[in-house]
Structure formats: structure tokens, C-alpha cells
Amino acid sequence: MQEQALRSITMTMSSKITLRFLLLAFASSLLFSTGRVHGRAARPCRIDAIYQFGDSTSDTGNLIRIVGPNGFGAQAARLPYGETLGKPTGRFSDGRLIVDYFAMALGLPLVNPSLGKNLSFEHGVNFAVAGSTVLNSSFYAARNVTVPASDVPLRLQLNWFRSYLNSTCGSQDECGKNLKRSLVIVGEMGSNDFLYSFLQGKSIPEVMTYVPPLVEETITVTRELIKLGASKVVVFGDFAIGCSPIYLTSFKSNDSNAYDDEGCLKAYNAFSQFRNTNVQVALAKLRREFPHATILYGDYYNGYEYVLRRASYLGFDPKSALKACCGTGGSYNFNFTRMCGSTGITACPNPNEFISWDGVHLTQAAHRRITEYNINKIFPELSCAT
Ligand SMILES: *[C@@H]1O[C@H](CO)[C@@H](O)[C@H](O)[C@H]1NC(C)=O
Ligand SMILES: *[C@@H]1O[C@H](CO)[C@@H](O)[C@H](O)[C@H]1NC(C)=O
Ligand SMILES: *[C@@H]1O[C@H](CO)[C@@H](O)[C@H](O)[C@H]1NC(C)=O
Ligand SMILES: *[C@@H]1O[C@H](CO)[C@@H](O)[C@H](O)[C@H]1NC(C)=O
Ligand SMILES: *[C@@H]1O[C@H](CO)[C@@H](O)[C@H](O)[C@H]1NC(C)=O
Ligand SMILES: *[C@@H]1O[C@H](CO)[C@@H](O)[C@H](O)[C@H]1NC(C)=O
């Protein structure tokens, strides 16, 4: 019954999107006939699968299949998680994620989690596992930082992908051919590396020293993916972590200079920008290494800023821009000891008006807008209509 509801919601949404594309196509044919064409004509987009690597930003149901009903992150298997979708799926949001909107915008079905039994992988596989880090637990153990046992670091997700390829295509050549018409999305991943470190008392200057090895590892895995045949890759950076309720609550400051105009923690946003600059520099080098691959940067940071700065215009409640929809207490409706998913903690009546869902993850409405911001830049590079 619930599955049926989910399917019908998905279908309604995708037919709406199709309708939008048709209207756009109609509008551009009108422009064409009056000769007022600008920009290049969009060619059909040859993408029929998405392979996703990452953490809770993109996990569509892997972690809940690892940890069982009481483990770390199991709350995503229960309402109010998934309430906008009509049922909890393991997504850490009220509804869809950025990867879901990418799939919808490409006219593909939502991408199933790799650990799902009996699910179709015809249009790609999602290897993302919530709570996972880019660097492995030995890296963090050496620095006295603990990561959850369910961690599936990026390198391990790559191995899952290799096994998947081994089981689905006969030769490296054949696998490579299949991958040519796919979009590979790496990240966002890395925000847990930083969050675990900061929460366990590491300073910003110390965590900055983790950034170069983390970016190097991201690039190493991306290079492997390209060698396996991926030719269209999007690597996401981090969003403005200093605007999230978990950071605002954990690292609040007496000093008003610690906050920017939006009320976000400047030092943590600067940290995100430092990391993102490193990612972009590394991607520029990777493009020179693989001139025939399309290697793009997914701009989570500016996508998020776009939502935050235009909150009211985009239909969000500007007074709640830094508050969690699902949570309780404090200035940001967030309390570690009573997080969303704990007994007695309820969600706001209208998650569409909130940017943050649970203080750590964003709402479906925010994901949709951040995707829009990104596909407007990314799809033209992939020759997909936007
Ligand atoms: C998986 O699908 C097969 C064939 O459709 C079916 O026989 C089997 O019962 C399914 N298993 C589960 C766990 O749903
Ligand atoms: C963890 O990563 C380090 C490099 O940071 C590597 O040397 C080590 O072999 C990895 N350990 C495991 C268990 O994968
Ligand atoms: C980790 O903790 C142990 C025990 O408290 C301490 O001896 C060691 O110096 C710490 N190492 C680092 C890298 O902080
Ligand atoms: C995939 O197959 C290749 C060639 O047979 C083998 O070298 C490789 O170890 C396999 N990888 C995995 C992850 O199974
Ligand atoms: C904030 O200011 C109060 C009063 O001056 C002081 O007691 C407290 O320790 C300060 N907190 C922080 C986090 O600096
Ligand atoms: C979080 O909740 C606990 C228990 O209700 C309370 O003692 C604590 O003060 C709260 N913390 C914040 C930051 O509001």
C-alpha cells in the first residue's frame, strides 16, 4: 500500500517534470520559429545510468540495511524520516535527495541502494552509506578520532563498484562501454571526516591538515573510476557547514564577530571553502590528465548559499533558515541528546518551509533547489537540456 503510494508520488513527479520539459521544448520551438534563438541547441542527453558514491547526503537506503533496527543511523528507517515521500526509506531527509533529483531531471527512475535485495540496477547503483568517511578509520585512529563501525570509506565503495562490474559485464571493455553512457557522482563525501573530528575536540587548524590527504583520496578514487570507463563525472564539494544547526549549536560563540550576515559561523564556512578550493584545484589537474572525460565540480556550497540568501523568494520561511525542522530546543531547534528520530521529537508541520531537516541534513525542498542550481551549470556541459 505504502509502496504503491510512493510509486504514484514518483510517477506524478516525473510526469510533471516531463511536462515541464515538453513546455520548455515547445517554448524554444516558438523562439526558433521567430528566429530569436540564443545559446546552443540542446542535444539529447545520452545518460541512462547514475552511479553514486557518498554518505548520508546521498544514501537512499544502504546504512539501514547494515545496522539493523537499533544501530547508528537506524532512525532513517522510521518516521518522520521519509514523511514527505510517504514512507521511510533510509534517506536522511523528509523526502528526496540531490541524487534523486538528478535522476528525475535526466528522466531516469530513482537509483536503488546497492545493498537492496531484488531491486533493479538497470539505471545505476547507489553505493553511498550514511555516516561514511573518505579516509579510513586507521587514518582517524592514528589521530584519536573514532568513526562508527558501519563506516564504508570511499575506497571500499569503489571496491563494491568493481565487484558490481565484475558480476554484470564480461570484460573490462564491455564494462567500459556500459559506463560511457552513465553519470558518476562522487560526494558530497568528507563532511563526516570533518564533523567527527570537530566534535571530538579537534581544532580547525588541525582538521585543515586532513584536507590534502582527503582530497587526494577523492581524486585517486575518481581517477580509478575514469580508468574503469566513466567519462562523465561530477565531484561534489561541501556545503556551508557553519550554517547548519549541528555546528551552530556545538560551536556557538559569545563573539558576534564569529558570525556572518546570515548568522552562520564564519570560521567553519571558511573551512568548507578551503576544502572546496582544494577540490577544484585537484579537479583542474585531473582534467588535464583525462582531456576526453567530462569532469565537473558539484557546487554544493554556492547551491546552499543560493537557497539561504533567497530563502523567502524560494518559499522558505526566512525566520527558520537556520533551524532544524525536526528537533527540539535551543536557538536552532537542535539538541544532541534529543535529535530527530528520538522518542517524542516531532517534525515541523511544513518541511517545505525549512532548509534544514534534522539539524544535520537538508529537507527535500532544499535538495530540489540545490539540484536546480547545479544542473543549470552541469547539464549544458553534458549536453543535456536544463
Ligand atoms: C526476489 O524476486 C524473486 C523473483 O521475482 C522472487 O521469487 C523472490 O521471492 C524475491 N525475494 C524477495 C526477498 O523479495
Ligand atoms: C587506510 O588508509 C591508509 C592511507 O591513509 C592506508 O595506508 C591503509 O592501508 C588503509 N587501511 C585499510 C584497512 O584500508
Ligand atoms: C591519543 O590519545 C592517547 C591517550 O590519551 C595519547 O597518548 C596520544 O598522544 C594521542 N595521540 C594523538 C595523535 O593525539
Ligand atoms: C574483477 O575481475 C578482475 C578480472 O577478473 C579481477 O582482477 C578483480 O580482482 C575483480 N575485482 C573484484 C572486486 O572482484
Ligand atoms: C561567554 O561569556 C560568558 C560571560 O562573559 C562567559 O562566562 C562564558 O564562558 C563565555 N562563553 C564562551 C563560549 O566564550
Ligand atoms: C538538551 O537537552 C538536555 C535534556 O533535555 C538539556 O539538559 C540540555 O540543556 C539541552 N541542551 C541545549 C544546548 O539546549
Side-chain angles (χ1 to χ4, degrees), residues 159 162-163 166:
N159 287 345
R162 284 188 200 280
S163 310
N166 275 11

Side-chain angles (χ1 to χ4, degrees), residues 54-59 63 72-76 81-82 90-98 129-132 188 191-192 195-196 238-241 243-247 300 304 316 320-327 332-334 336 339-341 348 351 354-367 370:
D55 59 22
S56 54
T57 315
S58 355
D59 185 349
L63 181 69
F72 167 82
Q75 70 271 22
Y81 284 86
R91 285 171 175 79
F92 283 75
S93 182
D94 59 309
R96 291 186 187 79
L97 309 180
I98 292 173
V129 178
S132 294
E188 191 328 271
S191 57
N192 289 320
L195 184 63
Y196 299 149
D238 211 345
F239 82 118
I241 57 174
C243 304
S244 69
I246 189 171
Y247 275 83
Y300 199 8
Y304 182 86
F316 297 95
S320 304
L322 299 179
K323 289 186 180 167
C325 161
C326 180
Y332 306 101
N333 203 36
F334 180 84
F336 251 108
M339 281 170 62
C340 184
C348 60
F354 279 69
I355 297 171
S356 178
W357 162 244
D358 59 5
V360 184
H361 309 98
L362 308 184
T363 56
Q364 163 171 301
H367 289 142
I370 291 170

Side-chain angles (χ1 to χ4, degrees), residues 5-6 23 33 183 187 201 205-206 233 259 295 333 338 344 357 382:
L6 180 63
L23 287 174
S33 62
L183 177 65
E206 168 149 12
V233 187
Y259 296 91
I295 302 169
N333 203 36
R338 299 160 70 208
W357 162 244
L382 302 173

Side-chain angles (χ1 to χ4, degrees), residues 249-250 252 328-331 334-338:
T249 305
S250 307
K252 68 163 177 261
T328 188
S331 310
F334 180 84
N335 185 323
F336 251 108
T337 57
R338 299 160 70 208

Side-chain angles (χ1 to χ4, degrees), residues 51-340:
Y51 298 96
Q52 171 77 53
F53 301 84
D55 59 22
S56 54
T57 315
S58 355
D59 185 349
T60 54
N62 283 322
L63 181 69
I64 59 165
R65 289 176 166 87
I66 296 176
V67 297
N70 299 309
F72 167 82
Q75 70 271 22
R78 299 188 298 266
L79 289 170
Y81 284 86
E83 64 171 26
T84 305
L85 283 177
K87 79 169 205 181
T89 58
R91 285 171 175 79
F92 283 75
S93 182
D94 59 309
R96 291 186 187 79
L97 309 180
I98 292 173
V99 59
D100 295 325
Y101 282 113
F102 262 83
M104 289 164 75
L106 289 167
L108 302 176
L110 302 192
V111 183
N112 283 318
S114 62
L115 301 180
K117 298 275 178 283
N118 265 13
L119 299 177
S120 162
F121 297 126
E122 196 188 339
H123 294 288
V125 189
N126 188 336
F127 298 100
V129 178
S132 294
T133 50
V134 169
L135 295 167
N136 66 31
S137 57
S138 332
F139 178 91
Y140 289 105
R143 289 157 183 80
N144 282 349
V145 173
T146 307
V147 304
S150 53
D151 189 38
V152 181
L154 184 53
R155 192 72 68 120
L156 187 50
Q157 292 183 21
L158 171 67
N159 287 345
W160 287 7
F161 182 55
R162 284 188 200 280
S163 310
Y164 169 78
L165 290 180
N166 275 11
S167 69
T168 50
C169 40
S171 66
Q172 175 113 23
D173 255 18
E174 192 193 333
C175 295
K177 271 196 200 104
N178 294 349
L179 285 179
K180 283 281 173 282
R181 288 174 63 169
S182 67
L183 177 65
V184 171
I185 308 178
V186 180
E188 191 328 271
M189 200 175 185
S191 57
N192 289 320
D193 297 68
F194 306 133
L195 184 63
Y196 299 149
S197 305
F198 288 132
L199 290 177
Q200 291 175 51
K202 299 296 180 188
S203 67
I204 293 178
E206 168 149 12
V207 181
M208 281 172 91
T209 68
Y210 308 170
V211 170
L214 183 143
V215 170
E216 192 184 317
E217 178 69 359
T218 306
I219 296 297
T220 301
V221 169
T222 306
R223 180 185 291 113
E224 289 304 309
L225 290 165
I226 295 170
K227 285 184 178 165
L228 288 168
S231 63
K232 300 177 178 76
V233 187
V234 178
V235 179
F236 269 91
D238 211 345
F239 82 118
I241 57 174
C243 304
S244 69
I246 189 171
Y247 275 83
L248 287 162
T249 305
S250 307
F251 306 111
K252 68 163 177 261
S253 170
N254 278 351
D255 179 2
S256 63
N257 287 324
Y259 296 91
D260 67 14
D261 295 347
E262 311 285 340
C264 305
L265 288 163
K266 282 185 204 165
Y268 289 93
N269 280 356
F271 176 85
S272 288
Q273 285 180 313
F274 169 75
R275 183 262 175 112
N276 290 345
T277 303
N278 273 263
V279 171
Q280 290 173 80
V281 168
L283 288 179
K285 282 192 201 140
L286 197 63
R287 279 182 205 117
R288 289 197 288 276
E289 205 181 319
F290 298 101
H292 300 298
T294 306
I295 302 169
L296 302 170
Y297 173 65
D299 197 339
Y300 199 8
Y301 192 100
N302 286 306
Y304 182 86
E305 288 279 310
Y306 159 77
V307 173
L308 195 60
R309 289 186 198 286
R310 291 167 191 74
S312 169
Y313 165 70
L314 295 173
F316 297 95
D317 170 15
K319 292 189 299 297
S320 304
L322 299 179
K323 289 186 180 167
C325 161
C326 180
T328 188
S331 310
Y332 306 101
N333 203 36
F334 180 84
N335 185 323
F336 251 108
T337 57
R338 299 160 70 208
M339 281 170 62
C340 184

